[in-house]
């Protein structure tokens, strides 16, 4: 690891450049603690650190939980690694699939007339998503009695863990979980504004790592004290 030039686009699509290092943190969505952190050269892409961060989280004994990431973390390997570690990835799609007559934009199966099947439930025994025919559409469908459409379609999540999330992509439950990801952005902004994360005081890599670890420790300690005081009021 060594200091280098880094670039990142802001919300207005403009590029911000800096020279030095980059800190990558995994944050809890509800309590806002920093679970794990990795320091890299500034040019390292965030997506390349996702799997090492998940390994660090798993080493803490965390499992059977959701990992929330934006569309920059959409590669197939991240989904597969998350499932290997007993995580359920909630990640936005970088590219939305086109309705090809068999699936819709959220990978739900479609009927002969290309209406989306309705998601009904998740079968934990077989790790399968259960879809049923869109009854509101079927009621007036001229093909209703032709036997062309299955009443129920079950798709095992293992068929493609990227396409078939639990809860299902596009569902209200999935959207509510994904919105919690914004807490990570607030924590990052807080660290930059109040802990000088943007102003590394050292050039040597080993010292930068220690500084980032101390920032993580100080932030978690302050968060713990704040939450303890609020709870005891």
């Amino acid at each position: 690891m060594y200091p280098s030039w880094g670039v990142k686009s802001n919300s207005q699509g403009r590029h911000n450049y800096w020279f030095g290092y980059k800190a990558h943190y995994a944050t809890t969505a509800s309590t806002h603690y920093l679970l794990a952190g990795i320091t890299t050269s500034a040019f390292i892409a965030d997506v390349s650190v996702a799997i090492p961060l998940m390994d660090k989280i798993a080493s803490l004994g965390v499992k059977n939980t959701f990992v929330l990431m934006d569309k920059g973390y959409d590669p197939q390997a991240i989904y597969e690694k998350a499932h290997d570690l007993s995580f359920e990835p909630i990640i936005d799609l970088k590219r939305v699939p086109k309705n090809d007559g068999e699936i819709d934009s959220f990978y739900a199966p479609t009927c002969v007339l290309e209406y989306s099947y309705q998601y009904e439930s998740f079968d934990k025994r077989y790790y399968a998503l259960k879809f049923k025919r869109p009854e509101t559409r079927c009621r007036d469908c001229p093909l209703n009695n032709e036997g062309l459409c299955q009443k129920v379609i079950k798709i095992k999540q293992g068929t493609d863990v990227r396409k078939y999330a639990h809860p299902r992509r596009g569902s209200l439950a999935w959207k509510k979980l994904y919105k919690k990801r914004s807490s990570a952005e607030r924590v990052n902004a807080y660290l930059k504004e109040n802990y000088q994360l943007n102003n590394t005081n050292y050039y040597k890599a080993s010292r930068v790592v220690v500084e980032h670890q101390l920032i993580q420790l100080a932030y978690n300690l302050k968060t713990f004290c704040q939450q303890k005081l609020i709870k005891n009021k």
Side-chain angles (χ1 to χ4, degrees), residues 100-136:
D100 62 356
E102 295 184 359
I103 60 169
D104 65 10
S105 57
F106 295 110
Y107 295 107
T110 57
C111 67
V112 175
L113 298 182
E114 299 185 13
Y115 292 117
S116 300
Y117 271 62
Q118 295 174 345
Y119 174 69
E120 187 175 69
S121 60
F122 182 77
D123 190 337
K124 291 185 178 180
R125 294 174 301 172
Y126 304 104
Y127 291 92
L129 288 78
K130 181 180 178 182
F131 297 87
K132 65 178 182 179
R133 286 194 307 185
E135 298 299 336
T136 53

Side-chain angles (χ1 to χ4, degrees), residues 1-8 15-23 39-44 196-205 208 211-212:
M1 185 177 67
Y2 52 87
S4 66
W5 282 102
V7 58
K8 197 164 188 176
H15 295 314
N16 293 326
Y17 297 91
W18 77 97
F19 185 80
Y21 300 90
K22 185 189 290 186
T39 301
T40 66
S41 299
F43 73 90
I44 299 296
Q196 298 297 305
L197 192 60
N198 272 354
N199 300 315
T200 302
N201 296 316
Y202 302 100
Y203 183 83
K204 193 174 180 180
V208 175
E211 183 178 21
H212 287 175

Side-chain angles (χ1 to χ4, degrees), residues 186-202:
R186 292 195 296 271
V187 171
N188 287 338
Y190 184 79
L191 290 172
K192 292 174 183 178
E193 293 173 7
N194 298 282
Y195 287 80
Q196 298 297 305
L197 192 60
N198 272 354
N199 300 315
T200 302
N201 296 316
Y202 302 100

Side-chain angles (χ1 to χ4, degrees), residues 73-90:
Y73 298 87
D74 192 35
Q76 183 79 17
I78 292 179
Y79 292 87
E80 293 174 354
K81 181 63 175 181
H83 278 271
D84 288 343
L85 297 173
S86 298
F87 297 147
E88 181 62 48
I90 302 296

